[in-house]
Each structure stands twice: as structure tokens, then as C-alpha cells.
């Protein structure tokens, strides 16, 4: 069955450092991969989308890579700030069904 | 901030009551979705709609029902609430186009507690 794996342990980093979150998937051939941010008690907020034929996407301090051979995406936040503390969800959708499947997310805690 | 609104934000209700969770979006999106999420867990799709008068069940079996009479409105109803329905319910919408239909815009959610 399709499976999305995100590190269940929280990632603790110091302000100013680069945070790197990982999303691995199995039994899936996604056409699109997305990253969302979710704050406690709130709905997810879309951050970035990358297509299967793209290696890297950037938006301000955010960078996403997508390696379909390794079946992995990396999500980087450079110059991290305490306000970046949240849970980050990876989501995959295929070309046929645009409805994404979400991972459980990884909690990021940025310490001042 | 996405223009998608859910009410109520919090609801505490007794077993056996009928409840309706409201969801409205002002973006003109044709596709709308309902997810259920427990703390620390994945979002599970329970219902979705391609447009007016279209509704489909999602991957997670749910005793709830939905309707889509207007493009902007996608309410979810539980005829008889039970403690097992206690969860966070998230409504989302997406637009048209190859990229846009893959991007979901979420409401703030309704936290439901059934006693």
C-alpha cells in the first residue's frame, strides 16, 4: 500500500540555522509533491508544490528538492526563526487523482 | 490567508445529537473536501465534491453525510453524534488547472467533542 514517511520525532534547531525535513514515500508514483505548514489547532497552509520533472523549487527562505529515484523530498528552511516553529506536512498527488495523500508531519521547534 | 471559513470552531455536544459543520469558500473553487484529523495523525479524507450536486465518499469510512447545493457551501452532517466522532474536522477547497487542482486551501477547522 502507499506509504508516506516523515520523521515522527520533533526537530529542534537553533535560530539562524537551516532546518531540513525529510519526506520518503513507497509504492507511489507521484506527479506532484507539496509541503504544508500546520500550526496547533489550525488547518494546514500550502507552502510549495514541486512537479516530478523538477529537481528543486525555491520560495524566499524555503527550498524543496524532489528525487523520484530515491523516492524522497527534502524541505529546507534557511535562517530559521522561532516563528517557523510548526508541523510541516508532506503531501503527494498523482497525475490521475489530484487529491493529495498527506503524511503525519514533522514538528519543527526553533529555539531563540 | 485562504478565504475558506468553518463554523463553529469548537463544539461540545452530547451523544445522539444531530450536528452540522459549516464550510464556505469565496474563491469560486469547484472542488471541496472534508478531512478528519486526530492529534499527531494524518489527515484522512472522508468526503469530497467535484462541483454542485456532486459528492463522493473518501478513503476513511464515515457516518457523516455531505451536500453541495451551492458552489461556495459544503456542509457536513452527523445525524447522531457518538464519542467515536470526537476529532478535528477540516474543510478544504482547490481550483482548476493542472497545478491549482493539486493545491488545497484549508479552513481553520472544527474541533468536535462528543460526550
Amino acid at each position: 500500500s502507499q506509504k508516506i514517511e516523515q520523521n515522527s520525532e520533533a526537530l529542534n534547531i537553533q535560530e539562524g540555522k537551516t532546518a531540513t525535513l525529510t519526506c520518503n514515500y513507497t509504492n507511489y508514483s507521484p506527479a506532484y509533491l507539496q509541503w504544508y505548514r500546520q500550526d496547533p489547532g489550525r488547518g494546514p497552509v500550502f507552502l510549495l508544490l514541486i512537479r516530478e520533472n523538477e529537481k528543486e523549487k525555491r520560495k524566499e527562505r524555503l527550498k524543496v528538492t524532489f528525487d523520484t529515484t530515491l523516492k524522497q523530498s527534502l524541505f529546507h528552511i534557511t535562517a530559521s526563526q522561532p516563528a517557523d516553529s510548526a508541523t510541516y506536512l508532506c503531501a503527494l498527488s498523482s497525475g490521475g487523482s489530484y487529491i493529495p495523500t498527506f503524511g503525519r508531519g514533522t514538528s519543527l521547534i526553533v529555539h531563540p | 490567508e485562504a478565504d475558506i471559513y468553518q463554523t463553529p470552531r469548537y463544539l461540545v455536544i452530547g451523544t445522539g445529537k444531530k450536528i452540522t459543520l459549516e464550510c464556505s469558500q469565496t474563491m469560486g473553487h469547484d472542488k471541496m473536501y472534508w478531512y478528519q484529523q486526530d492529534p499527531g495523525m494524518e489527515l484522512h479524507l472522508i468526503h469530497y465534491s467535484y462541483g454542485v450536486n456532486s459528492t463522493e465518499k473518501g478513503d476513511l469510512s464515515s457516518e457523516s453525510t455531505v451536500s453541495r447545493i451551492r458552489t461556495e457551501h459544503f456542509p457536513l452532517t452527523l445525524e447522531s453524534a457518538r464519542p467515536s466522532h470526537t476529532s478535528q474536522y477540516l474543510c478544504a477547497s482547490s481550483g482548476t488547472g493542472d497545478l491549482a487542482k493539486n493545491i488545497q486551501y484549508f479552513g481553520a477547522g472544527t474541533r468536535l467533542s462528543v460526550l
Side-chain angles (χ1 to χ4, degrees):
Chain A
S1 61
Q2 298 168 351
K3 197 171 179 183
I4 300 173
E5 291 180 354
Q6 294 187 258
N7 199 336
S8 57
E9 284 186 25
L11 176 64
N12 285 272
I13 65 167
Q14 210 62 33
E15 182 175 8
K17 301 292 186 184
T18 296
T20 298
L21 305 175
T22 304
C23 173
N24 294 300
Y25 59 91
T26 54
N27 298 324
Y28 211 124
S29 295
Y32 304 94
L33 187 146
Q34 304 124 56
W35 284 89
Y36 292 78
R37 168 183 173 142
Q38 187 172 25
D39 290 291
R42 308 288 295 186
V45 175
F46 169 74
L47 297 174
L48 279 169
L49 176 146
I50 187 167
R51 286 184 264 209
E52 60 179 336
N53 60 353
E54 296 176 316
K55 295 294 183 188
E56 184 179 296
K57 205 78 169 280
R58 290 176 188 260
K59 179 183 174 184
E60 297 172 353
R61 294 186 294 113
L62 309 179
K63 184 177 87 171
V64 173
T65 63
F66 192 10
D67 189 326
T68 55
T69 302
L70 291 178
K71 295 187 182 296
Q72 181 182 80
S73 173
L74 299 178
F75 177 77
H76 307 272
I77 304 176
T78 58
S80 59
Q81 305 163 2
D84 294 327
S85 299
T87 296
Y88 291 87
L89 310 179
C90 166
L92 308 177
S93 51
S94 65
S97 170
Y98 50 85
I99 302 175
T101 300
F102 286 85
R104 288 189 182 186
T106 298
S107 175
L108 172 66
I109 303 168
V110 181
H111 298 276
Chain B
E1 194 91 0
D3 295 322
I4 180 163
Y5 308 100
Q6 290 186 245
T7 56
R9 287 279 287 120
Y10 305 94
L11 181 61
V12 181
I13 202 161
T15 298
K17 299 291 186 185
K18 178 181 178 179
I19 59 169
T20 296
L21 307 184
E22 301 288 348
C23 177
S24 294
Q25 51 97 4
T26 58
M27 296 174 282
H29 287 168
D30 54 348
K31 301 172 189 61
M32 295 189 74
Y33 316 83
W34 276 102
Y35 292 88
Q36 189 173 336
Q37 185 183 33
D38 293 316
M41 302 298 285
E42 304 94 326
L43 279 74
H44 289 288
L45 182 70
I46 51 175
H47 297 283
Y48 61 101
S49 167
Y50 293 116
V52 171
N53 294 325
S54 146
T55 60
E56 303 284 345
K57 288 188 180 294
D59 305 321
L60 183 66
S61 175
S62 174
E63 293 163 350
S64 59
T65 59
V66 291
S67 62
R68 189 88 184 275
I69 299 171
R70 302 197 317 265
T71 298
E72 63 272 20
H73 195 214
F74 191 40
L76 181 145
T77 298
L78 273 168
E79 290 292 333
S80 180
R82 293 208 302 268
S84 60
H85 296 138
T86 295
S87 189
Q88 166 128 336
Y89 292 83
L90 290 162
C91 180
S93 69
S94 64
T96 54
D98 279 347
L99 290 184
K101 64 186 180 184
N102 290 279
I103 298 172
Q104 306 229 320
Y105 295 91
F106 285 85
T110 294
R111 168 71 64 187
L112 173 64
S113 295
V114 184
L115 306 177

